[in-house]
Amino acid sequence: MGQFIQLKAADGQQIPAYVAEPAGQPKGGVVVVQEIFGVNSHIRSVADGYAAQGFLAVAPSTFQRVKPGVELGYQPEDMDAGFALKSAVEALPAPGVLQDLQAAIGHAARAGKVGIVGYCWGGLLTWRAACLLDGLAAAVPYYGGGMTTPEEIARRPRVPVMAHFGNQDRWIPLDTVEAFRQAHPEVEVHIYAANHGFNCDQRGSYDAEAAKLARERTLAFFARHLA
């Protein structure tokens, strides 16, 4: 359904992005932010899914600045490689990868109002985007690793946010989710009987029931804020 294009960030860096177009008049744009595994077949299928729902979906490669063309699977060695790449991106001088997300938002805006959704590390980046970037109307982080730390909780979102977490997620302890919820009563927080990565049907942690419910809630949230 989609194809890769080149976006240009504010500093001139070229960033590949997978773009999936809706069949008819778009309902708006959705930026899809990858996990630590690159814009792989799963993330492309997520973007295709949003396009099938009527949105212009844009999935930028958030590893491009440290290593082009990353497409990992979900084996332990892929996890190790993904963590190393994520650490390298997080170590970039500010604004780092946020300017690449800003470029993706700019491209998605040709379809109208723009939402952003991200998974795992992409969930953390989605939270930061909601607090720091321009041009968004809504944000939905899924199990954003690191977004419940005190440093991230201290941020203030500039747009409506819905956040999805799993209560069996060893990367995001429930007490930190509760601290996030207490600090951000304006954020719609949902907790599922599921593990980290529950939305990804290529991972052992996939939970079809949680994924379906979270997707329904996300689509309703976008319908409300991108209309």
Side-chain angles (χ1 to χ4, degrees):
M1 186 183 282
Q3 61 181 347
F4 277 91
I5 66 163
Q6 293 291 324
L7 304 174
K8 185 183 279 191
D11 66 349
Q13 172 81 42
Q14 295 281 325
I15 302 295
Y18 179 78
V19 176
E21 304 259 1
Q25 182 72 20
K27 299 175 181 176
V30 173
V31 175
V32 177
V33 193
Q34 64 171 68
E35 305 163 302
I36 60 168
F37 307 102
V39 183
N40 60 10
S41 61
H42 170 63
I43 292 299
R44 296 195 301 271
S45 76
V46 170
D48 289 343
Y50 280 104
Q53 291 292 324
F55 298 99
L56 172 64
V58 183
S61 174
T62 49
F63 282 155
Q64 180 69 15
R65 289 177 182 270
V66 297
K67 185 176 182 181
V70 175
E71 183 167 346
L72 300 171
Y74 296 94
Q75 299 306 310
E77 60 270 23
D78 297 311
M79 187 86 73
D80 292 343
F83 270 124
L85 289 165
K86 173 206 165 189
S87 298
V89 173
E90 292 280 328
L92 292 171
V97 75
L98 287 176
Q99 59 197 320
D100 306 337
L101 295 182
Q102 190 69 71
I105 292 165
H107 186 84
R110 65 188 59 193
K113 291 184 180 178
V114 180
I116 186 168
V117 60
Y119 307 85
C120 174
W121 176 48
L124 171 61
L125 293 177
T126 294
W127 171 245
R128 289 177 181 164
C131 299
L132 299 169
L133 299 186
D134 298 322
L136 288 171
V140 182
Y142 275 72
Y143 34 84
M147 68 177 276
T148 61
T149 61
E151 179 188 11
E152 296 296 334
I153 288 175
R155 299 186 193 274
R156 292 288 154 202
R158 296 159 57 175
V159 297
V161 176
M162 172 185 283
H164 303 296
F165 296 100
N167 65 4
Q168 297 155 34
D169 189 337
R170 67 188 178 95
W171 303 104
I172 308 174
L174 266 184
D175 62 334
T176 69
V177 174
E178 193 51 43
F180 178 90
R181 194 209 293 264
Q182 293 292 326
H184 291 285
E186 78 284 4
V187 174
E188 193 175 325
V189 175
H190 296 288
I191 300 174
Y192 303 82
N195 212 320
H196 190 82
F198 69 75
N199 184 71
C200 179
D201 58 6
Q202 296 183 22
R203 299 175 76 164
S205 55
Y206 176 60
D207 187 297
E209 189 176 333
K212 180 174 182 288
L213 180 54
R215 179 175 163 78
E216 287 169 356
R217 285 170 167 163
T218 300
L219 286 170
F221 190 71
F222 282 156
R224 198 155 69 243
H225 295 291
L226 305 188

